[in-house]
Amino acid sequence: MITVSLDSRGLDRSRAFLAAATNQLPFATSVALNRTARDVQQALKAQTTQSFNQPTAFTRNAFRYTQSSKASLLATVFSSPDRSYIPVQSFGGQRRLKAYEGFIRNLAKGQGSPLPNRKIVPTRLAVNQAGNPKRSLFSQIESGLSTTDQGGFFIGTPRGGSREPGVYRRSRGRLFPYFLVADSDPLYRPLFPFNRVGQSTIKQSYPLHISAAVEKALQSARR
């Protein structure tokens, strides 16, 4: 004959273990979410070297994340607000006005030759290897504004022909365009796979982190 009985002491220990484990699970989940968010941040940083041509440190370090807590199990990864070009490169659409556009427009107004109210885009003469306008160029433009000097800059619409308004530099009797006013606002196609990289990293990282965090929580509950 086999007798089955209940040991209330064992039941009490089980209840205590379950209560402790249940109390630890939100914390474990929060830890896993934060570690996954960190992985996503690093994966996005690595992706910049694949999607962009020689990205600067400013671009590589564009990503931030808000941390989860036991009370709010949500971690969010996003691009820093001062990198407004990242969302456009990620999802497409019209790019925002850039600081250099305001600088050039102010110079044009100061000369009494305001530029049309459309986007201003650099030519290959104005950009560095990363595709960004050369920083030293703007001080050269400001100090070299002239309508006659060789090597000087001219802002406006050149006479004759059908050249676009913009910023030109005189050299050897010719005008070379450095910035031009676009015919229409440029539209960008998605270039940076923000969502794809994020989702694939979550799929790979979260199961590992939640498993490790729950196991650690259970070990704490057993003590």
Side-chain angles (χ1 to χ4, degrees):
M1 180 176 66
I2 298 176
T3 302
V4 179
S5 63
L6 175 65
D7 185 342
S8 61
R9 292 173 300 176
L11 181 60
D12 290 340
R13 287 196 296 269
S14 297
R15 285 174 175 169
F17 171 76
L18 289 175
T22 301
N23 184 59
Q24 289 290 327
L25 285 178
F27 176 76
T29 303
S30 179
V31 169
L33 288 173
N34 291 333
R35 290 176 178 173
T36 301
R38 171 68 176 173
D39 288 347
V40 171
Q41 180 193 47
Q42 293 304 304
L44 292 171
K45 178 179 180 178
Q47 182 62 39
T48 60
T49 62
Q50 304 297 319
S51 297
F52 302 128
N53 180 26
Q54 297 181 330
T56 63
F58 187 74
T59 294
R60 295 196 304 273
N61 297 314
F63 307 100
R64 307 283 185 270
Y65 68 92
T66 59
Q67 289 197 337
S68 166
S69 67
K70 288 174 61 175
S72 177
L73 296 175
L74 177 67
T76 305
V77 184
F78 57 95
S79 59
S80 179
D82 61 351
R83 278 79 160 178
S84 58
Y85 55 92
I86 295 292
V88 175
Q89 295 288 354
S90 300
F91 309 109
Q94 295 182 357
R95 73 160 170 80
R96 298 181 181 181
L97 289 173
K98 298 192 174 183
Y100 73 76
E101 294 181 87
F103 174 81
I104 291 174
R105 289 191 184 281
N106 287 334
L107 290 180
K109 289 179 181 178
Q111 285 201 319
S113 55
L115 296 173
N117 190 27
R118 298 193 299 272
K119 295 290 194 309
I120 299 174
V121 295
T123 70
R124 62 179 181 82
L125 297 175
V127 298
N128 55 27
Q129 290 184 340
N132 300 314
K134 303 171 185 175
R135 293 186 178 182
S136 61
L137 182 59
F138 300 108
S139 60
Q140 294 176 29
I141 293 173
E142 186 173 21
S143 61
L145 280 177
S146 171
T147 57
T148 57
D149 294 344
Q150 291 297 311
F153 286 90
F154 161 76
I155 299 180
T157 304
R159 296 178 181 177
S162 58
R163 286 177 291 186
E164 296 293 332
V167 179
Y168 292 82
R169 189 171 198 172
R170 277 190 163 81
S171 179
R172 298 184 296 275
R174 297 175 57 191
L175 285 176
F176 292 87
Y178 277 66
F179 293 89
L180 294 174
V181 177
D183 290 333
S184 58
D185 286 347
L187 293 176
Y188 288 82
R189 62 179 179 82
L191 177 66
F192 185 75
F194 186 97
N195 281 341
R196 177 174 62 78
V197 171
Q199 293 298 328
S200 63
T201 304
I202 291 170
K203 185 177 179 179
Q204 179 180 3
S205 294
Y206 183 73
L208 299 177
H209 289 314
I210 190 63
S211 178
V214 169
E215 178 60 28
K216 186 174 181 179
L218 292 177
Q219 289 176 359
S220 298
R222 294 188 186 103
R223 297 190 186 117

